[in-house]
Amino acid sequence: MAAINPYLVFNGNCEEAFLFYKSVFGGEFPYIGKFKDMPPAEGNPVLSEAEGNKTMHVTLPIGDGTILMGSDSNSASGEVAFGQNISLSINTASKDEADKLFNGLSAGGTVTMPMNQTFWGAYFGMFADKFGINWMVNFDENEK
């Protein structure tokens, strides 16, 4: 069955926020990546040094099976409005489950990134459902 975790987006202070959360919850970051770590891809904007140093993705396990995740916004995505900076991230057990949940939950909503293979080895997509809730669906093939 799918696991759902909170995903927080910040306007440049993601690392600061996650260091704070780590000081409260404890633990370690299994992953923290910067935008400059992304491989170049057609259509991706050239980032300034400041944007390249922003957090692209960070994870912090905070309990039994719960992972707090986050990133910074960048010039391509624009500033995030607080209240709209939280997504629910679904980690699925299979590609079929990812497609089923993505297609079902996104019906009547707005797809912002269709399900597709990513450079980090996952099958991933994003959307806002018809009620305005932001979702991310992820099947991590590297863990299987």
Side-chain angles (χ1 to χ4, degrees):
M1 185 57 171
I4 297 178
N5 294 293
Y7 199 103
L8 311 175
V9 181
F10 297 87
N11 286 322
N13 62 338
C14 180
E15 186 171 356
E16 176 187 358
F18 269 75
L19 287 170
F20 169 73
Y21 301 145
K22 181 180 168 187
S23 76
V24 174
F25 290 110
E28 295 298 324
F29 300 128
Y31 179 81
I32 185 166
K34 304 293 184 175
F35 281 106
K36 66 183 177 186
D37 300 332
M38 289 176 27
E42 188 175 325
N44 283 354
V46 175
L47 299 175
S48 68
E49 183 177 345
E51 282 198 314
N53 286 318
K54 287 183 176 181
T55 302
M56 177 192 65
H57 183 70
V58 60
T59 57
L60 177 64
I62 60 171
D64 233 6
T66 301
I67 301 170
L68 185 62
M69 296 182 280
S71 69
D72 281 314
S73 62
N74 62 32
S75 60
S77 60
E79 284 220 358
V80 67
F82 287 88
Q84 290 296 314
N85 65 321
I86 299 172
S87 295
L88 297 176
S89 178
I90 304 173
N91 294 312
T92 65
S94 70
K95 211 172 187 178
D96 287 340
E97 183 183 25
D99 284 332
K100 176 185 174 209
L101 293 174
F102 185 92
N103 293 333
L105 289 168
S106 68
T110 303
V111 173
T112 54
M113 183 178 177
M115 293 300 295
N116 207 345
Q117 293 303 129
T118 63
F119 71 87
W120 65 86
Y123 184 59
F124 178 83
M126 299 187 305
F127 60 92
D129 70 19
K130 64 184 176 182
F131 302 103
I133 304 300
N134 295 314
W135 294 86
M136 301 172 166
V137 178
N138 187 80
F139 169 59
D140 192 351
E141 297 175 305
N142 291 332
E143 291 183 9
K144 302 299 169 207

